[in-house]
């Protein structure tokens, strides 16, 4: 059975899973969830994702939610196909640097990128207005965090080591959404943060991600 992703290619967490499917050459299909009718907040959806969020996967009867956990599962299950090395294994220090990158994305990057996206994108979709003062504070603090990224990326080519890993790819959905909200300067400032700009250009140009962007645009 083809891998079913219950959720949407238009939302960041579904995009994260789709990107890894593309890396690992795993056929998948999205099963739409009518979020306008709050389908994700009630049974039977919540029988499978009890937090009432998208996505979850159904892999031939195996149900799993949490997009990053899904990606790790898929990389391990399909170890012998597609891009290799997305989760380092066998070298203790490489594994540690990778885990550090994964934690940095969840703890340091995602809160800023997601909160900016909530203010400037998701609120507007619901007919609301962004809190511009909060956005300015978030952007200012995000710059400081990305200055540390610049330091880390001056020592390693990628945030999880010297090869591309899930730690990098996990940044793409919310990072690109934030970037698209008129915030190029966070990610692509070759003068101020040349290593961040290099890294961001490389990962956003991966064919796995370009395919996600096209699918989200219906192309
Ligand atoms: N940690 C979860 C977060 C899931 C999540 O926040 N999903 C968003 C879409 S990207 C959602 O369902 N938002 C609607 C809601 O929370 O009601 C994951 O990575 O799967």
């Amino acid at each position: 059975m083809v891998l079913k992703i219950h959720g949407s290619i238009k939302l960041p967490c579904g995009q994260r899973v789709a990107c890894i499917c593309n890396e690992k050459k795993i056929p998948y299909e999205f099963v739409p969830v009518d979020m306008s009718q709050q389908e994700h907040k009630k049974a039977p959806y919540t029988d499978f994702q009890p937090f009432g969020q998208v996505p979850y996967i159904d892999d031939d009867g195996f149900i799993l939610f949490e997009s990053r956990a899904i990606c790790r599962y898929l990389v391990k299950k399909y170890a012998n196909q597609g891009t290799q090395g997305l989760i380092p294994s066998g070298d203790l220090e490489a594994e540690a640097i990778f885990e550090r990158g994964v934690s940095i994305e969840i703890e340091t990057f995602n809160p800023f990128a997601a909160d900016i996206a909530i203010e400037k994108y998701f609120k507007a979709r619901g007919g609301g207005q962004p809190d511009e003062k909060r956005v300015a504070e978030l952007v200012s603090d995000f710059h400081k965090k990305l200055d540390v990224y610049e330091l880390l990326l001056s020592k390693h080519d990628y945030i999880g080591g010297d090869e591309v890993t899930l730690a990098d790819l996990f940044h793409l959905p919310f990072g690109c959404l934030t970037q698209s909200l008129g915030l190029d300067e966070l990610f692509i400032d070759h003068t101020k943060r040349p290593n961040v700009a290099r890294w961001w250009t490389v990962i956003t140009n991966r064919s796995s991600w370009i395919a996600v962007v096209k699918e989200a645009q219906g192309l």
Side-chain angles (χ1 to χ4, degrees):
M1 188 182 87
V2 66
L3 179 74
K4 300 260 192 316
I5 308 174
H6 292 251
S8 170
I9 187 66
K10 291 184 186 295
L11 288 174
C13 304
Q15 293 175 346
R16 186 174 288 126
V17 174
C19 178
I20 301 315
C21 287
N22 292 335
E23 290 283 350
K24 298 301 290 177
K25 310 278 180 237
I26 305 164
Y28 64 88
E29 64 186 35
F30 273 91
V31 178
V33 179
D34 189 349
M35 296 175 79
S36 69
Q37 296 301 314
Q38 299 290 298
E39 191 184 325
H40 58 310
K41 298 295 183 195
K42 36 194 189 206
Y45 185 89
T46 50
D47 295 341
F48 303 107
Q49 213 300 9
F51 290 114
Q53 294 182 310
V54 292
Y56 74 84
I57 59 162
D58 179 347
D59 183 24
D60 212 4
F62 176 64
I63 306 292
L64 188 65
F65 63 87
E66 279 299 331
S67 61
R68 295 171 185 81
I70 294 168
C71 294
R72 283 176 176 258
Y73 162 76
L74 293 173
V75 166
K76 289 184 181 178
K77 176 165 178 178
Y78 295 96
N80 296 327
Q81 68 186 58
T83 309
Q84 297 297 295
L86 293 175
I87 302 177
S89 164
D91 174 334
L92 188 58
E93 292 187 5
E95 288 172 23
I97 297 287
F98 164 72
E99 292 299 345
R100 184 181 73 178
V102 170
S103 293
I104 292 170
E105 186 272 326
I106 295 174
E107 297 290 338
T108 305
F109 184 96
N110 196 64
F112 289 98
D115 281 2
I116 292 168
I118 287 168
E119 287 296 334
K120 283 178 73 80
Y121 179 74
F122 290 108
K123 264 195 187 175
R125 276 187 11 155
Q129 289 291 321
D131 176 344
E132 293 296 354
K133 183 166 173 283
R134 175 153 167 70
V135 171
E137 283 166 6
L138 285 165
V139 170
S140 166
D141 287 345
F142 201 5
H143 271 291
K144 290 178 200 147
K145 303 296 181 190
L146 289 170
D147 286 342
V148 180
Y149 269 62
E150 177 63 20
L151 180 70
L152 298 174
L153 289 164
S154 70
K155 297 182 178 155
H156 292 283
D157 283 351
Y158 293 91
I159 208 69
D162 290 316
E163 305 290 337
V164 70
T165 65
L166 288 186
D168 304 289
L169 303 175
F170 286 169
H171 288 75
L172 286 167
F174 272 110
C176 285
L177 178 52
T178 305
Q179 184 183 5
S180 74
L181 300 170
L183 290 167
D184 250 354
E185 97 252 8
L186 281 165
F187 303 93
I188 310 282
D189 184 336
H190 290 277
T191 313
K192 212 167 144 211
R193 286 192 288 262
N195 286 296
V196 170
R198 165 191 56 75
W199 169 70
W200 195 249
T201 303
V202 166
I203 62 172
T204 53
N205 278 293
R206 289 185 74 82
S207 58
S208 61
W209 180 248
I210 290 171
V212 167
V213 173
K214 285 191 177 155
E215 189 181 347
Q217 291 171 342
L219 299 175

